[in-house]
Amino acid sequence: MADRRIISAILLEELAEDDLFTQFNSNQTLAMDVMNVSLNAVSLVLSSRSDPVRVEGYVPEVVSIYSDLEFKSHFRMQRSTFEMLCTEVAPEFPRERSINLETKMLATLWLLGTQECYRSVGDRFGMSKGTLHLIVQQVCRVISDMRETYIRMPRTRQEMERVEKGFREKCGMPGVVGAIDGTHIAIPGPSEHRSSYINRKGYQSMQLQVVCDSQLKFLDTYTGWPGSVHDARVYRNSPISETVSNLPHDKHLLGDSAYPLKVNMLVPFRDNGHLNRVEKKFNKVHSSTRVDVERAIGLLKCKFRRLKHLDMLMVEEIPVTITSCCVLHNYILENDCDDSEESVDDFSGGDADIDQTDNMENVSGQAAQKRQHVANLL
């Protein structure tokens, strides 16, 4: 009724300026007939519109009857873990009548865990594409703010010994408190400085640098740099570089040949065809120990397949989404009883640069001596 009154006012204003309608003023009956015909035509158009058809009751009627295996397959975590997560983030979300917290979290997890478009996911959860976009941003910000709680380097001597024990029991490498590597997250690329985001493989991406332990949990994550930037430069500008420099002398990270050799960062011996038996053994054990970081990255991308191509145009929101996936990765490993069914066989390996021109400038004698000492121990 309100729409009809508004349309009537608009029509009167428009018709008053029309020459033909001016001639009708002498005949009020004819003028009213013209007005009614116009209103009926507009009403017919309005009545033909219908609300978009979406899935109704998916969360209360379908998700509620999923088995535990089906729930984890769709939402990447066990139902009990999901309930714990909702309880933890609930204080950050105001109560809303339209969309409850459970639906927001489920929709976000479904989107991050698949490569479906926003329209398809929004239809499944009974919301528009725009609403889903805002919800995903909101949820990802809250989860990324949990980074300090769930992603942290070992700080005490006891914590370092626990991480070192996990690596040493696998391959015998002593003193390892983390393995570091970088990976590229494919993105559409911004309109400005687009060439800066084109990596050595020829596509637009954003760098993600991670440090993990032997249980594939992330100890540190750092993202936001364009894909064209070398891994060594990303490391130099990341907060973890200062943390690593302050590690005890007998503790270190393992990095591949893209990283600089430091006292607390051991990289393989450069294979120029003249390595001796000790150096070859070191490289083999080093590779077998450091492979956990590649497995962790593979697990992250298999669990949250949105990271295989993060179709987002707002560059400032991309690091938030990436970080939230890393936090969820750790949250699942900490709280799920069994997380072994995920396969990482389709992961293609690390994204390290082969070119070492950016990482050999500060090889100190002390760092080389420490690497040789560790090699002799093996």
Side-chain angles (χ1 to χ4, degrees):
M1 193 61 158
D3 288 341
R4 188 178 177 88
R5 287 197 298 268
I6 293 172
I7 293 170
S8 299
I10 295 174
L11 283 174
L12 284 173
E13 184 178 346
E14 292 295 328
L15 291 173
E17 299 176 358
D18 191 277
D19 294 337
L20 182 61
F21 188 73
T22 303
Q23 298 175 15
F24 292 158
N25 283 338
S26 58
N27 190 334
Q28 293 183 357
T29 302
L30 183 58
M32 291 305 299
D33 289 343
V34 171
M35 176 64 71
N36 288 331
V37 169
S38 301
L39 286 174
N40 290 335
V42 173
S43 298
L44 183 62
V45 173
L46 290 175
S47 63
S48 65
R49 296 181 180 179
S50 60
D51 293 332
V53 179
R54 298 191 178 98
V55 176
E56 295 292 339
Y58 174 69
V59 173
E61 297 176 11
V62 180
V63 175
S64 60
I65 62 174
Y66 277 156
S67 67
D68 291 341
L69 185 61
E70 289 173 325
F71 186 92
K72 183 169 183 176
S73 175
H74 290 307
F75 302 107
R76 327 313 285 167
M77 63 181 68
Q78 294 177 354
R79 195 186 298 273
S80 59
T81 304
F82 173 76
E83 292 170 354
M84 290 171 55
L85 179 62
C86 288
T87 301
E88 188 163 346
V89 302
E92 304 298 327
F93 291 89
R95 290 184 175 273
E96 295 183 13
R97 293 182 179 179
S98 55
I99 304 176
N100 59 35
L101 176 59
E102 181 186 14
T103 301
K104 289 182 178 181
M105 297 297 293
L106 289 173
T108 300
L109 290 173
W110 185 289
L111 186 84
L112 295 177
T114 68
Q115 293 180 294
E116 287 185 34
C117 64
Y118 276 80
R119 187 182 302 278
S120 174
V121 178
D123 178 71
R124 177 182 295 273
F125 288 90
M127 62 184 74
S128 68
K129 183 174 70 171
T131 300
L132 176 63
H133 186 82
L134 293 175
I135 286 174
V136 171
Q137 281 187 324
Q138 182 187 24
V139 172
C140 285
R141 286 195 199 101
V142 171
I143 293 176
S144 66
D145 288 341
M146 299 162 59
R147 179 181 179 275
E148 297 298 323
T149 303
Y150 292 99
I151 302 178
R152 56 191 297 271
M153 285 289 291
R155 298 170 185 172
T156 66
R157 191 78 185 187
Q158 184 179 7
E159 290 175 343
M160 292 181 188
E161 294 292 343
R162 186 173 64 251
V163 175
E164 179 191 0
K165 181 181 178 182
F167 281 114
R168 189 172 62 248
E169 288 179 347
K170 286 194 171 183
C171 300
M173 177 76 78
V176 181
V177 293
I180 187 171
D181 199 6
T183 187
H184 292 277
I185 306 298
I187 61 174
S191 55
E192 295 183 1
H193 310 293
R194 188 181 185 85
S195 60
S196 299
Y197 288 85
I198 300 177
N199 60 35
R200 63 187 176 85
K201 296 183 179 181
Y203 62 88
Q204 293 86 20
S205 68
M206 184 171 285
Q207 288 267 24
L208 169 63
Q209 175 186 277
V210 302
V211 179
C212 84
D213 63 12
S214 60
Q215 304 302 313
L216 310 186
K217 285 179 59 178
F218 295 132
L219 304 176
D220 183 78
T221 61
Y222 181 66
T223 186
W225 282 77
S228 65
V229 179
H230 194 280
D231 285 3
R233 184 180 176 190
V234 175
Y235 172 73
R236 284 198 305 268
N237 288 275
S238 64
I240 192 64
S241 62
E242 183 177 354
T243 303
V244 171
S245 65
N246 293 323
L247 287 174
H249 186 271
D250 61 333
K251 300 293 186 286
H252 42 262
L253 298 186
L254 296 185
D256 60 19
S257 58
Y259 294 95
L261 174 63
K262 300 286 186 181
V263 173
N264 299 114
M265 170 76 79
L266 298 188
V267 301
F269 287 98
R270 188 171 187 177
D271 191 355
N272 52 12
H274 301 285
L275 295 181
N276 58 38
R277 181 181 58 82
V278 173
E279 292 169 342
K280 288 180 179 178
K281 177 66 179 297
F282 174 86
N283 281 3
K284 182 178 181 180
V285 176
H286 181 285
S287 176
S288 298
T289 306
R290 201 192 68 85
V291 73
D292 284 338
V293 70
E294 296 185 358
R295 293 179 58 221
I297 293 172
L299 181 61
L300 173 72
K301 290 187 175 181
C302 283
K303 190 175 289 293
F304 301 106
R305 294 181 179 271
R306 179 72 49 180
L307 296 182
K308 293 188 175 183
H309 182 79
L310 197 51
D311 192 9
M312 297 177 64
L313 297 179
M314 293 190 295
V315 178
E316 65 277 5
E317 292 293 333
I318 293 177
V320 176
T321 303
I322 296 173
T323 301
S324 66
C325 290
C326 295
V327 172
L328 287 170
H329 170 93
N330 276 13
Y331 193 89
I332 292 169
L333 289 179
E334 282 190 20
N335 295 288
D336 267 15
C337 299
D338 179 24
D339 195 45
S340 59
E341 90 285 355
E342 291 286 348
S343 171
V344 296
D345 293 338
D346 60 341
F347 181 59
S348 59
D351 294 316
D353 255 322
I354 303 301
D355 181 17
Q356 296 185 350
T357 56
D358 193 56
N359 67 355
M360 297 301 291
E361 25 180 298
N362 295 315
V363 178
S364 67
Q366 191 177 9
Q369 289 175 8
K370 179 180 178 181
R371 180 172 63 177
Q372 189 63 52
H373 173 70
V374 174
N376 293 333
L377 291 177
L378 297 175

